[in-house]
Amino acid sequence: MGTNCPIARAQPLAAATPHWSSESLAALHHAAETAPQQALPAPDLAPLVAAERLGDSAAIDHAATDLALCLARQTALGWSPASAHAAWHIADTDARIDFAGELASALGAGALEAWLSGLQPRQPGFAALLAAHAAEADPARKATLARNIERWRWLPRDPGREYLLVNAAAFRVDLWRDGKVVDSHRVIVGKVKSPTPVFSATVRGVTLNPWWDIPANIVAESVGAMVRRHPALARKRGYVWGGGRYRQRPGPGNSLGVVKLIMPNSFNVYLHDTPSKSLFDQPVRTFSHGCVRVEDPLGLAATLLGDQASRADIDRIVAAGRTTDLKLARSLPIFIAYFTAEAGADGAIAFHPDVYNRDRAMGDADDLRKPCPA
């Protein structure tokens, strides 16, 4: 028996339920029957089939509209219950889509399948993930692909012309511009006990020679004890304290290195440099307290700043040792995400270790799927 679609009634139906032509009904049946090829649940067609057997036009229109809206919302927003992505702190702007209004327009234009297809994520590698999922015979790999296809549906369908995407599972940050990766850097992410959170923010600029305002948990873990027991060593390492506040001066030993992205967020997590360069050679790079340490961060800063500051300008400021904020000409979004399977530029699928056990936290993909409608 079907269960309630978790998002089927997230928005009210249009004031007047649209009428379904025989052509549109055929297109809906095809979309529903091929939903598993889109890594979506196989919908419960019983209410629509029962209405069609009775020949009740009003019942057919209501059942078809319910089914189409559920398919549309699952295509755009995902099918998992909220508990499966409770720690995914990226607002999906697609939730603001007027699904009922767009459905009515699509039916009027005889373009139901094109509309549903257009609700898929637009990231270039998404189609490759779908194709790999359809072809995969191994149940474990197929489930991994389904989970990561679902994660793309939790992101905005159109993230913008330019954005940064951190894949914590791949230990990499990419700068996307006009649908292509134009810059890529290896990164270090949080330890298993202090994982890098999934969230989005806006990058507004870069700070060169930053001070480090030390979070309370790191003070409690290590810095506070050093200050109490070895104050001379603490001062030598650039730590200053007073009034319950602990900071570290700019310098070669600063834990943030020589550059930090300005990206205000409630997690106090940033992309920054690190003095521990050798860690980038490790295949599994889970060493931080949650922040994202970037290899060649000055190169990334120069790419982001563009005409605002040349690499030579940046190097001069760093050498002078002055804390300096440089504003980007245009702010851009950054998404700190987690994908254990992803498609490369050539369409090949790479699988990454589930270092934070977030795949497992999603549960079994088939068990989580909610057919629609009831």
Side-chain angles (χ1 to χ4, degrees), residues 252-323:
N254 186 286
S255 293
L256 301 182
V258 297
V259 61
K260 178 186 82 167
L261 296 192
I262 300 172
M263 44 178 286
N265 65 87
S266 61
F267 295 95
N268 198 29
V269 166
Y270 301 92
L271 271 66
H272 62 79
D273 185 20
T274 176
S276 304
K277 311 293 188 188
S278 63
L279 294 179
F280 287 107
D281 293 328
Q282 298 297 317
V284 177
R285 296 186 289 277
T286 50
F287 300 111
S288 83
H289 287 83
C291 280
V292 179
R293 306 174 189 171
V294 183
E295 187 177 40
D296 186 22
L298 291 176
L300 176 60
T303 301
L304 294 176
L305 287 164
D307 294 337
Q308 300 298 108
S310 69
R311 178 59 187 265
D313 294 331
I314 292 171
D315 289 343
R316 278 195 295 272
I317 295 170
V318 170
R322 299 187 309 273
T323 300

Side-chain angles (χ1 to χ4, degrees), residues 64 127 171-172 174 183 194 204 228 253 297 349 365:
F171 314 111
R172 194 185 67 253
D174 295 327
D183 198 14
S194 57
R204 306 185 188 283
R228 290 192 304 273
I349 305 301

Side-chain angles (χ1 to χ4, degrees), residues 76 98 105 124 163 166 183-184 187 214 220 240 248 260 264 274 284 287 325 327 336 340 350 366:
D98 177 10
S105 297
Y163 60 93
V166 174
D183 198 14
S184 186
V187 301
I214 306 171
V240 296
Q248 189 179 29
K260 178 186 82 167
T274 176
V284 177
F287 300 111
D325 291 343
K327 186 178 179 181
I336 315 289
T340 54
D366 289 329

Side-chain angles (χ1 to χ4, degrees), residues 18-323:
H19 176 65
W20 285 74
S21 67
S22 58
E23 293 80 10
S24 292
L25 284 171
L28 178 61
H29 274 279
H30 181 262
E33 290 161 4
T34 58
Q37 297 175 21
Q38 310 301 315
L40 293 172
D44 180 4
L45 289 167
L48 177 58
V49 170
E52 289 173 322
R53 283 194 187 127
L54 292 173
D56 185 332
S57 178
I60 290 171
D61 288 344
H62 279 285
T65 299
D66 277 352
L67 176 58
L69 287 176
C70 190
L71 282 172
R73 292 184 179 114
Q74 290 190 339
T75 298
L77 306 175
W79 41 258
S80 300
S83 60
H85 51 98
W88 187 276
H89 304 285
I90 299 176
D92 189 352
T93 53
D94 300 329
R96 298 197 292 265
I97 294 173
D98 177 10
F99 290 101
E102 289 194 6
L103 171 61
S105 297
L107 291 176
L112 177 69
E113 287 189 286
W115 174 61
L116 288 173
S117 178
L119 294 172
Q120 297 275 26
R122 295 172 183 167
Q123 200 272 348
F126 184 78
L129 283 175
L130 282 180
H133 176 267
E136 183 58 61
D138 178 77
R141 287 165 67 93
K142 195 176 186 74
T144 296
L145 289 163
R147 291 184 180 103
N148 287 280
I149 289 167
E150 175 73 349
R151 286 179 176 126
W152 275 114
R153 291 187 166 115
W154 298 344
L155 282 164
R157 181 174 34 152
D158 184 2
R161 174 183 171 270
E162 185 177 37
Y163 60 93
L164 283 166
L165 177 64
V166 174
N167 183 357
F171 314 111
R172 194 185 67 253
V173 58
D174 295 327
L175 174 61
W176 285 82
R177 188 177 292 154
D178 296 326
K180 297 180 180 178
V181 175
V182 298
D183 198 14
S184 186
H185 299 257
R186 293 190 294 182
V187 301
I188 292 165
V189 299
K191 303 171 187 175
V192 172
K193 66 179 182 180
S194 57
T196 297
V198 173
F199 70 100
S200 60
T202 300
V203 179
R204 306 185 188 283
V206 301
T207 300
L208 302 176
N209 302 311
W211 280 80
W212 181 33
D213 291 295
I214 306 171
N217 64 312
I218 299 179
V219 172
E221 178 182 306
S222 58
V223 174
M226 179 187 295
V227 167
R228 290 192 304 273
R229 298 170 187 169
H230 309 286
L233 176 61
R235 290 190 182 91
K236 183 178 179 181
R237 293 185 178 178
Y239 295 115
V240 296
W241 57 93
R245 185 184 186 191
Y246 293 78
R247 307 180 80 201
Q248 189 179 29
R249 297 180 184 277
N254 186 286
S255 293
L256 301 182
V258 297
V259 61
K260 178 186 82 167
L261 296 192
I262 300 172
M263 44 178 286
N265 65 87
S266 61
F267 295 95
N268 198 29
V269 166
Y270 301 92
L271 271 66
H272 62 79
D273 185 20
T274 176
S276 304
K277 311 293 188 188
S278 63
L279 294 179
F280 287 107
D281 293 328
Q282 298 297 317
V284 177
R285 296 186 289 277
T286 50
F287 300 111
S288 83
H289 287 83
C291 280
V292 179
R293 306 174 189 171
V294 183
E295 187 177 40
D296 186 22
L298 291 176
L300 176 60
T303 301
L304 294 176
L305 287 164
D307 294 337
Q308 300 298 108
S310 69
R311 178 59 187 265
D313 294 331
I314 292 171
D315 289 343
R316 278 195 295 272
I317 295 170
V318 170
R322 299 187 309 273
T323 300

